[in-house]
Amino acid sequence: MKKWHYPILASFLSLAVLAGCGQAPQSQGNTQANAAGGSSTAATPSGAITVYTALEDDQIKTYLESFKSKYPDVKVNIVRDSTGIITAKLLAEKDNPQADVVWGTAATSLLVLDQQGMLEGYSPKGIERVSPEFKDSKEPASWVGIDAWETAIAVNTTELEKRKLPIPRTYEDLIKPEYKGLIVMPNPASSGTGLLTINGIMQLKGEGEGWAYLDKLHENMALYTHSGSKPAKMAASGEYPIGISFGYRSITEKKKGAPVEVVFPSEGSGWDVEANALIKKAEIKPEAKLFLDWAISDEVMKAYNQNFAIVSVKQEGATLPEGYAVDPIKQLIKLDLKKAAENRENLLAEWEKRYATKSEPK
């Protein structure tokens, strides 16, 4: 098993140069929230900013409460979709950017934007509190992380009991013939969760063994979704007994009362960092910078920690969120993000060629 410890995280994150999910843009969900923004120089911040995010809908509403109460006169227009679609939309808008801020989107995607010269360097107020492995090493920083998320498997115990099948606890378990047609997972071209999962598998096993493993996994796969959270929801409802997803969503379904057991593969989980950035454009709104200040403040950081066991600002006295039995950092695999970035285009092209026939319609 290739697990690792926290001090090593910095050295691997610092190697990241280009990664993320690329796909033609699709229609995205738009919601609006009266939240607040502004700048440290504005006495009464007001106006509107557009924020692109891959955070979960229920997370967004909760997180924005403190921002809304502090700055009620600024409107935040939220554009939310899965990581790959948000990344593709931003790239498509490179010459006419619509977003002011990217919030809670994969750091590997932000590195793609930075490589394209699309990010405006900005070090938010309080950035010195952020652990080095969760932020850009440049000054000003092009991106700043808020938390990390990892591969998890949501297993419907009721459905497996009906079939007299054991709970899969390893990647190797998932390719056993008894699970044929019972598994769903995200498409890595549209989902950051899908991409971090196959990146993890490829680096755990190496290219040759990795593709051989994914071939076998594909034989057992019922469907590839375009959402990282959907497999957990499908497992919770019993539509398919096993959903490869991520920790937060799998645990949330269990907390709602679904007969779900959340499994973190014993070999280790793939992972990425949810991060924020300022989009380079002709007009940089002061409200956008204030939003980024708020996005790493103590108040919202505590809210992140309610959902994610790994956050970028150490929380004194914090306990593990419900659903995590052990230190989640030790669950993360040793992942070379530079290697993942270099292989990204070829990886997705080969994945599409081999497995796209089982993807759900766009």
Side-chain angles (χ1 to χ4, degrees):
M1 291 186 291
K2 298 182 181 177
K3 299 184 184 178
W4 57 322
H5 297 276
Y6 193 79
I8 304 175
L9 183 58
S11 63
F12 288 98
L13 278 179
S14 65
L15 293 174
V17 292
L18 177 64
C21 312
Q23 194 177 36
Q26 304 179 28
S27 61
Q28 69 287 338
N30 275 330
T31 61
Q32 291 188 341
N34 284 331
S39 75
S40 57
T41 60
T44 306
S46 62
I49 57 173
T50 297
V51 177
Y52 283 16
T53 183
L55 291 168
E56 296 290 292
D57 286 318
D58 48 352
Q59 295 173 347
I60 294 167
K61 181 178 179 181
T62 301
Y63 295 161
L64 282 177
E65 286 177 358
S66 67
F67 200 70
K68 183 177 178 179
S69 64
K70 190 173 183 181
Y71 303 106
D73 295 328
V74 176
K75 189 176 188 179
V76 176
N77 299 310
I78 295 289
V79 177
R80 190 272 161 194
D81 217 313
S82 59
T83 302
I85 295 171
I86 285 292
T87 306
K89 181 173 176 60
L90 286 160
L91 289 168
E93 295 171 355
K94 177 181 178 181
D95 295 330
N96 184 28
Q98 302 300 302
D100 296 298
V101 168
V102 184
W103 175 39
T105 299
T108 48
S109 289
L110 298 186
L111 289 164
V112 174
L113 305 185
D114 198 26
Q115 186 81 2
Q116 296 291 318
M118 296 172 60
L119 301 183
E120 183 78 19
Y122 177 65
S123 295
K125 181 180 178 181
I127 192 174
E128 69 279 355
R129 297 158 40 256
V130 175
S131 299
E133 58 269 26
F134 279 89
K135 60 189 175 186
D136 185 18
S137 60
K138 299 193 299 291
E139 178 55 45
S142 292
W143 62 273
V144 180
I146 56 176
D147 55 59
W149 88 109
E150 71 292 282
T151 301
I153 306 168
V155 181
N156 189 305
T157 54
T158 300
E159 292 300 316
L160 285 191
E161 285 171 4
K162 289 179 183 177
R163 295 168 171 81
K164 297 183 174 13
L165 292 174
I167 294 172
R169 299 194 178 277
T170 68
Y171 292 122
E172 294 305 312
D173 285 344
L174 293 173
I175 61 175
K176 291 179 178 177
E178 54 263 40
Y179 298 116
K180 185 177 180 64
L182 303 182
I183 305 173
V184 289
M185 73 166 285
N187 181 323
S190 50
S191 163
T193 301
L195 183 59
L196 68 84
T197 296
I198 66 165
N199 275 335
I201 288 170
M202 296 300 283
Q203 293 200 25
L204 276 168
K205 296 179 175 294
E207 185 172 352
E209 283 189 36
W211 285 118
Y213 173 84
L214 291 175
D215 284 345
K216 293 176 182 177
L217 184 63
H218 179 69
E219 292 176 8
N220 282 359
M221 198 62 57
L223 184 72
Y224 298 103
T225 69
H226 293 297
S227 161
S229 60
K230 189 172 183 178
K233 296 175 182 178
M234 296 173 92
S237 70
E239 187 174 356
Y240 293 99
I242 302 168
I244 301 172
S245 186
F246 59 100
Y248 166 79
R249 180 51 61 192
S250 302
I251 291 168
T252 299
E253 296 303 320
K254 180 179 177 66
K255 289 168 69 174
K256 289 178 180 177
V260 166
E261 180 164 339
V262 181
V263 176
F264 294 97
S266 64
E267 300 97 329
S269 293
W271 58 276
D272 206 333
V273 173
E274 290 189 315
N276 314 327
L278 185 66
I279 294 295
K280 182 179 291 186
K281 55 197 307 186
E283 179 189 2
I284 303 292
K285 298 178 181 178
E287 292 86 356
K289 292 184 177 181
L290 188 60
F291 185 93
L292 291 173
D293 294 345
W294 164 82
I296 61 168
S297 65
D298 286 336
E299 189 169 8
V300 71
M301 195 61 62
K302 291 176 183 176
Y304 300 148
N305 202 202
Q306 293 297 309
N307 299 320
F308 295 96
I310 306 171
V311 292
S312 65
V313 177
K314 184 178 180 181
Q315 302 297 292
E316 294 295 338
T319 58
L320 287 178
E322 185 178 345
Y324 292 87
V326 297
D327 181 356
I329 292 172
K330 295 180 180 179
Q331 174 64 28
L332 305 180
I333 70 163
K334 180 178 177 180
L335 185 63
D336 183 337
L337 292 181
K338 181 178 181 182
K339 180 178 179 180
E342 291 170 347
N343 294 339
R344 174 187 170 273
E345 185 176 350
N346 291 336
L347 178 70
L348 290 179
E350 183 66 20
W351 190 95
E352 290 275 1
K353 183 173 70 174
R354 291 175 182 242
Y355 314 128
T357 54
K358 289 187 179 180
S359 262
E360 66 179 351
K362 297 177 182 178

